[in-house]
Amino acid sequence: MPRAGQGPLLSVQGLRKSFNGRTVLQGVDFSVAAGELVAFLGANGSGKSTTLRCVMGITSPDSGSISIDDTALENLQGRELQQTRQRMAMIFQKIHLVPRRTALDNVCAGALSRIPTVRSLSPLLFPADVQQEALDCLDRVGLADRAFDRVGRLSGGQQQRVAVARALCQRADVVLADEPVSALDPHAAEQVMALLRELAHSEGLAVAAVLHQPDLALRYADRSIGLLQGSMTFDLPSPEVTAEHLDTLYAPDRIASDTIVSDRTQAA
Amino acid sequence: MTPHTLTPAVARRGSSAQPRVALVRPKKPLRWITTAAVAAAVVGLHAVAIEGTDFKPELLVDGWQGMAAFIGDAFPPDLSWEKTLKPGLEATLVTLWIGLLGTTLSVPFALLLAALAAENTSPHRLVYQVARAILSFFRAVPDIVFALIFVTAVGLGPFAGVLALICHNTGVMGKLWAESMEEIDAGPQEALRTAGANRIQQVANATLPMVVPQFVGLLLYRFDVNVRSSLVLGLVGAGGIGLLINQSIKSFQFDSMLTHILIVLVLIIVVDQFSAWIRRRLAA
Ligand SMILES: Nc1ncnc2c1ncn2[C@@H]1O[C@H](COP(=O)(O)OP(=O)(O)OP(=O)(O)O)[C@@H](O)[C@H]1O
Ligand SMILES: [Mg+2]
């Protein structure tokens, strides 16, 4: 999708959300530029997933403004809103592909919004140009040779790359990933992080990823954002993030984690 | 978690003589009363049911000779080809065809109603309720009743049996399918929704392909049940081996009846083995 605006590709301001009176996000502001990989760090329950889900529109925020390419979503309606939203794709920790279908068919599903409903009833009916585009997307994640394998047969790391290819086939230029490597072994995690960084750096996508491994964040992300109980504690280029910064994120949890650990050892 | 959070917990556990946390189970005083009430209710229900069905084992003991004479008359089974075996095998095939068509032809209706009657795929709450009601109706009316209704339209014969099975099976299979769709992992469907796919696209490309194994398993199970139901339908005039069993009983040809029952036994075993084989292949 050609760029229209001059500012950051994704810009989020004053995001607030509470569930049943409990405030989960208390004003989150951040932006992700085209060509940039941004990491979100924070303890369990700090609001990382809620942030991404609000941006994606899976959860509706109480207030806040989300802009893509300098166009605020709240000013759009109907078809235009839908088309702008589709510039964002989400990658999930649990991958959420259909295991019984081939990698190619799963990637084609990213293009469903461009396929007429009758032609999307079965993979056999998918238009040839969509299938070709899906194969190209698989090629970009290095899996063109596995296109006709069932996804269930692929390794976890390969499955997550297929999920990335599906996002590409959606023609998204903003990719939000919620713990994309948490279910992967260290080697596969490195591969997927390298892929996300390459998509940002070489293809100009705006990528935001929630990570639970600070070292991965600092090695791969251009910028890291710390979330603590629904507020941002830092938003810095990764090389400037220090051990103290990280301590503030995970330190308040120390008392809680101590009891959890002692529970575990007693149960064991 | 840093290692030093672990150390105190382990040390505490190893060294202290006094437990830091006293073991006190939360008291639930009403628990045994509830158990006793449920047990009493179950016993009471059974007493009423035994009364209501004239359940008297002594009748069975007193009347065993009648049963023995009946079974004795059936031996040896009549294995004459022209009179019993050939018509029996032909009728068995009809029974099988009734069960087959009754199952397969209900698939489109069951599929549509299941998709409308599952919470995660139904387009609207109202549609959901209506689809549920339709399924309940088709499930509640026994296939025999449907058969009697269709006989008045299309006359006695296998066709009425097929129509009856289609109706009843749509209700049962639609319900089972809807439930298996509701139990499926919602993740892939949500992923397609965020990608901009519409409801039908989500169902066709995430929900349905995810439930295919469960659907096929339930379809085979229903095929198995329907072949046996078509036997019973034969008794009320829908043709097939059920009809022959009925006729041989009415004309006191118990040796032919036994042959027909043995053929049915083989049919049931074959159908059962066939579904088991497919299910195994599916799981692999
Ligand atoms: N749908 C919901 N209803 C009620 N509370 C919710 C809901 N979704 C999230 N929360 C609460 O919001 C808080 C933040 O949750 P969130 O999932 O955003 O945290 P997170 O930073 O992603 O944590 P984790 O690292 O465990 O994934 C949690 O306390 C959670 O219980
Ligand atoms: Mg989360």
Side-chain angles (χ1 to χ4, degrees), chain A residues 53 56 58 82 86 92 96-101 109 112-113 115 117 120-121 126 166 170 254 257-258 261-262 265, chain B residues 1 4-6 9-10 12-13 185 187-188 190-192 194-198 200-201 204-206 209-210 212-213:
Chain A
R53 294 173 71 85
M56 280 304 292
I58 302 173
Q82 208 208 345
Q86 270 156 36
F92 302 85
H96 292 343
L97 297 168
V98 178
R100 296 180 57 82
R101 285 207 170 166
L112 280 173
S113 67
I115 306 178
T117 303
S120 48
L121 293 180
F126 289 160
R166 179 169 68 181
Q170 188 188 324
R254 209 165 269 164
S257 69
D258 183 46
V261 169
S262 72
T265 43
Chain B
M1 259 158 259
H4 78 267
T5 56
L6 187 66
V10 174
R12 208 161 56 219
R13 185 170 174 247
D185 173 20
E190 183 178 87
L192 294 195
T194 62
N198 67 32
I200 294 174
Q201 292 175 323
N205 292 284
M210 301 269 295
V212 165

Side-chain angles (χ1 to χ4, degrees), chain B residues 77-90:
Chain B
D78 176 11
L79 295 180
S80 59
W81 174 253
E82 276 302 325
K83 179 171 162 275
T84 309
L85 267 181
K86 183 161 172 278
L89 288 173
E90 282 167 2

Side-chain angles (χ1 to χ4, degrees), chain B residues 98-113:
Chain B
I98 297 175
L100 179 71
L101 292 183
T103 311
T104 53
L105 298 185
S106 65
V107 166
F109 307 107
L111 194 61
L112 179 67
L113 285 166

Side-chain angles (χ1 to χ4, degrees), chain B residues 130-142:
Chain B
V130 171
R132 291 243 136 184
I134 295 174
L135 287 177
S136 299
F137 170 77
F138 282 120
R139 208 167 57 249
V141 179

Side-chain angles (χ1 to χ4, degrees), chain B:
Chain B
M1 259 158 259
T2 45
H4 78 267
T5 56
L6 187 66
T7 325
V10 174
R12 208 161 56 219
R13 185 170 174 247
S15 64
S16 64
Q18 197 72 19
R20 250 171 57 94
V21 188
L23 175 69
V24 183
R25 272 183 206 284
K27 283 210 176 74
K28 291 182 184 159
L30 289 179
R31 175 66 70 75
W32 73 268
I33 298 183
T34 326
T35 312
V38 169
V42 170
V43 170
L45 279 176
H46 277 75
V48 176
I50 284 171
E51 187 65 31
T53 54
D54 291 332
F55 192 89
K56 296 190 186 106
E58 61 270 23
L59 290 182
L60 192 59
V61 176
D62 292 345
W64 70 274
Q65 279 123 334
M67 226 161 68
F70 175 77
I71 294 171
D73 279 349
F75 276 99
D78 176 11
L79 295 180
S80 59
W81 174 253
E82 276 302 325
K83 179 171 162 275
T84 309
L85 267 181
K86 183 161 172 278
L89 288 173
E90 282 167 2
T92 301
L93 275 184
V94 172
T95 295
L96 187 63
W97 301 151
I98 297 175
L100 179 71
L101 292 183
T103 311
T104 53
L105 298 185
S106 65
V107 166
F109 307 107
L111 194 61
L112 179 67
L113 285 166
L116 300 178
E119 266 174 337
N120 49 341
T121 55
S122 187
H124 192 268
R125 195 75 206 162
L126 193 67
V127 177
Y128 165 83
Q129 296 291 358
V130 171
R132 291 243 136 184
I134 295 174
L135 287 177
S136 299
F137 170 77
F138 282 120
R139 208 167 57 249
V141 179
D143 37 21
I144 289 234
V145 174
F146 277 122
L148 292 173
I149 295 171
F150 283 120
V151 161
T152 62
V154 302
L156 287 175
F159 184 43
V162 172
L163 293 176
L165 280 187
I166 291 175
C167 289
H168 185 68
N169 193 56
T170 296
V172 179
M173 206 158 68
K175 165 101 185 312
L176 295 172
W177 280 0
E179 273 168 5
S180 62
M181 283 206 277
E182 283 175 353
E183 280 162 19
I184 212 75
D185 173 20
Q189 198 184 341
E190 183 178 87
L192 294 195
R193 178 155 41 84
T194 62
N198 67 32
R199 193 80 174 196
I200 294 174
Q201 292 175 323
Q202 292 164 32
V203 174
N205 292 284
T207 324
L208 282 182
M210 301 269 295
V211 290
V212 165
Q214 287 91 322
F215 272 28
V216 175
L218 291 167
L219 183 79
L220 290 168
Y221 160 70
R222 287 307 301 171
F223 173 58
D224 196 295
V225 172
N226 284 337
V227 169
R228 278 178 283 131
S229 298
S230 77
L231 272 168
V232 180
L233 293 182
L235 292 173
V236 302
I241 188 81
L243 184 65
L244 287 197
I245 292 177
N246 197 12
Q247 283 169 352
S248 49
I249 292 177
K250 279 187 179 147
S251 53
F252 300 104
Q253 292 173 330
F254 297 131
D255 51 352
S256 295
M257 176 204 73
L258 182 58
T259 307
H260 294 147
I261 288 179
L262 291 176
I263 296 176
V264 167
L265 184 68
V266 173
L267 171 71
I268 298 289
I269 292 174
V270 168
V271 168
D272 189 53
Q273 290 296 315
F274 170 74
S275 350
W277 177 72
I278 299 222
R279 257 178 285 201
R280 262 199 313 277
R281 298 224 37 189
L282 220 75

Side-chain angles (χ1 to χ4, degrees), chain A residues 107-152:
Chain A
V107 175
C108 285
L112 280 173
S113 67
R114 304 196 299 276
I115 306 178
T117 303
V118 278
R119 299 208 60 175
S120 48
L121 293 180
S122 156
L124 297 173
L125 303 172
F126 289 160
D129 58 331
V130 169
Q131 298 194 38
Q132 183 59 53
E133 184 172 344
L135 187 61
D136 293 342
C137 294
L138 274 173
D139 193 32
R140 281 153 78 190
V141 303
L143 285 174
D145 56 330
R146 309 302 298 269
F148 298 102
D149 286 5
R150 280 189 184 188
V151 159

